[in-house]
Amino acid sequence: MHQGLADVMERIPVSGPSITQKEIDYVTDAVKNAWYGNANMYHERFERAFADYMGKPFAIALPSCTSAIHLSLLSLGVGPGDEVIVPDITWIATAAPITYVGATPVFADIDAQNWCLSPESFRACITSRTKAVIPVDLYGNMPDMDPILDTAKHYGIAVIEDAAEAIGSEYKGRKAGSLGDTGVFSFHGSKTLTTGEGGMLVTDREDLYRRALVLRDHGREPGDLMFFNSEVAFKYKVTSMQAALGLAQLERIDELIERKRQIFNWYKNELDGCTFLTLNSEPPGTKNTFWMVTIILDKGYALDKSQLMQRMAQKKIDCRPFFHPLSSLPAYRNSRNAQEASLRNPVSYGISPLGVNLPSGMDLTQLKVKYVCDTLMGTLAEASPNTLLIGSVDPCQD
Ligand SMILES: Cc1ncc(COP(=O)(O)O)c(C=O)c1O
């Protein structure tokens, strides 16, 4: 039987890290030595190095970006009766902590070009109850932050910048995660900088920093040796092994970001002539670190994201669906807020069914990217004639 490339090739995962001897050495050192009086040595180094990288005075290493958003909301005093505006397209972790604190998420539409919070939709969602907004730097891109920050300032709305997916991205020379009252990051195993699971909260504001330190350690002051809790709070800490891994990754951050940009450029070169799909954008003044290379199929394709993913999976290529609008998910869709959002967010609802994240792991090679793109083209061309409305066997305009 004839063997194709797919038969000999290993599965191509959708994401994954770059781990070198440096990471192994640091984690090994932590597991051997970061105990007793040295228990926090890697936490301190990682937080200091991260704060310096961000140009911020304060950084707190946390178990996840979700916990960083939770602590941001609590430190800002967001609670029952308040509304917090989020883009409709994001991972649920942006919105879930709003519910944890008893506030209500309000889902704004995204911008058709950068796929991030639309400044106009944000403005239209503001009410007298709006306490905060959480713009999201989706897939490494950034929203048009100036009008968002101006509007937030005008209405006295706090800004939590969800840079979970965008370490190293920039907006007009300012780093992703540095533009709000707090900035939050994820170091989940799929992220550009990973600690397996993990997160970081950065801020300029000492009041928020001090409050978050108490809330993340069962309601006791930093340095408390008397185990004396002033309130009931949370246990949000990371291990020294995670901190060591994070420090090693941070010391390689320029290389990691360059790698992501290189992977995107490989895809861009392969797919550039294709008029029927759109890749991640990089608007003028923005540096996109392309956490996930993403395509949006033109509406002409009857093939939706799940059908495309299934067909790619048969060829050993794992993809991910573009996020569903949060307001469409069973977790939210019965609320009045979500129902209103589903009517007012045409861009989110228009793009989401047609979007697929392509493999973007750090171990990708140019050859594998070519295989993914060839398979993608073949899959789209093989789709039924009704599906392929542009009517050519080779859908790439060469
Ligand atoms: C936009 C966004 N926000 C928040 C999170 C939550 O991060 P974590 O899984 O570290 O809690 C993620 C994680 O994927 C994310 O993509």
Side-chain angles (χ1 to χ4, degrees):
M1 210 171 82
H2 177 71
Q3 267 205 329
L5 190 53
D7 300 313
V8 289
M9 200 166 223
E10 286 176 15
R11 275 205 96 67
I12 300 182
V14 73
S15 61
S18 162
I19 300 296
T20 63
Q21 194 59 42
K22 182 192 265 285
E23 283 81 357
I24 295 167
D25 288 346
Y26 280 31
V27 174
T28 306
D29 184 50
V31 80
K32 282 185 180 163
N33 299 313
W35 305 105
Y36 301 103
N38 291 328
N40 284 323
M41 67 183 193
Y42 275 104
H43 297 80
E44 283 161 12
R45 286 176 66 190
F46 183 35
E47 287 174 346
R48 189 69 266 138
F50 202 90
D52 289 348
Y53 174 71
M54 291 299 298
K56 293 279 165 191
F58 307 113
I60 309 177
L62 294 166
S64 61
C65 184
T66 309
S67 53
I69 296 171
H70 189 193
L71 289 185
S72 297
L73 290 165
L74 289 169
S75 304
L76 286 161
V78 177
D82 296 330
E83 290 176 354
V84 179
I85 297 172
V86 296
D88 212 347
I89 297 288
T90 179
W91 177 229
I92 194 170
T94 308
I98 301 168
T99 310
Y100 302 168
V101 303
T104 304
V106 175
F107 309 105
D109 208 358
I110 57 167
D111 175 88
Q113 265 70 49
N114 60 33
W115 309 334
C116 300
L117 180 67
S118 145
E120 295 75 32
S121 184
F122 162 48
R123 206 172 302 119
C125 289
I126 293 170
T127 71
S128 57
R129 295 166 64 196
T130 308
K131 194 76 181 266
V133 58
I134 313 183
V136 176
D137 304 330
L138 199 83
Y139 302 139
N141 212 346
M142 293 187 67
D144 191 6
M145 283 299 283
D146 278 347
I148 292 173
L149 293 171
D150 287 348
T151 303
K153 191 168 175 198
H154 179 80
Y155 289 97
I157 295 168
V159 178
I160 299 167
E161 189 189 348
D162 183 345
E165 305 176 354
I167 187 164
S169 297
E170 290 177 17
Y171 174 82
K172 299 187 180 174
R174 290 176 282 168
K175 279 208 173 75
S178 73
L179 291 108
D181 293 276
T182 68
V184 293
F185 295 85
S186 172
F187 306 139
H188 175 259
S190 64
K191 295 298 192 293
T192 304
L193 184 163
T194 188
T195 58
E197 293 281 0
M200 190 74 78
L201 184 161
V202 299
T203 183
D204 285 322
R205 286 182 51 180
E206 188 164 359
D207 58 331
L208 301 180
Y209 173 66
R210 300 256 161 248
R211 183 75 189 124
L213 285 179
V214 172
L215 288 168
R216 72 93 161 259
D217 191 16
H218 280 310
R220 59 187 194 143
E221 291 296 328
D224 162 53
L225 297 177
M226 298 308 291
F227 293 82
F228 197 76
N229 311 85
S230 49
E231 62 190 294
V232 176
F234 304 90
K235 174 68 188 293
Y236 284 156
K237 291 194 153 185
V238 295
T239 66
S240 57
M241 285 74 83
Q242 287 167 295
L245 181 50
L247 180 65
Q249 292 258 287
L250 188 59
E251 290 178 0
R252 296 179 52 226
I253 190 67
D254 291 343
E255 176 197 338
L256 299 178
I257 289 166
E258 234 1 87
R259 182 85 183 145
K260 281 289 189 190
R261 289 181 60 83
Q262 180 182 48
I263 290 168
F264 177 78
N265 280 324
W266 288 335
Y267 275 110
K268 189 167 181 301
N269 290 339
E270 289 294 330
L271 299 173
D272 229 10
C274 303
T275 53
F276 56 92
L277 54 78
T278 307
L279 275 167
N280 317 52
S281 67
E282 188 170 42
T286 302
K287 178 180 179 184
N288 189 337
T289 50
F290 302 110
W291 170 56
M292 279 275 164
V293 178
T294 301
I295 53 162
I296 310 291
L297 292 176
D298 277 5
K299 280 224 167 65
Y301 278 88
L303 206 62
D304 70 12
K305 60 185 171 189
S306 63
Q307 291 163 327
L308 181 57
M309 283 173 58
Q310 276 168 22
R311 293 182 198 191
M312 296 292 275
Q314 284 162 6
K315 303 275 171 50
K316 298 191 182 173
I317 298 168
D318 290 335
C319 299
R320 286 176 30 147
F322 198 87
F323 291 122
H324 308 283
L326 292 177
S327 60
S328 72
L329 294 172
Y332 291 113
R333 72 179 171 215
N334 292 328
S335 70
R336 191 172 53 84
N337 241 316
Q339 282 160 11
E340 284 169 6
S342 69
L343 301 175
R344 98 173 146 242
N345 295 344
V347 181
S348 302
Y349 278 79
I351 289 179
S352 169
L354 304 166
V356 171
N357 307 124
L358 301 176
S360 305
M362 290 290 191
D363 68 347
L364 272 178
T365 59
Q366 195 168 3
L367 195 67
K368 284 184 182 171
V369 168
K370 182 166 177 13
Y371 172 70
V372 173
C373 293
D374 288 349
T375 308
L376 176 68
M377 292 302 115
T379 304
L380 294 174
E382 267 168 28
S384 71
N386 292 345
T387 304
L388 191 62
L389 292 185
I390 54 175
S392 156
V393 177
D394 175 6
C396 252
Q397 274 192 350
D398 225 356

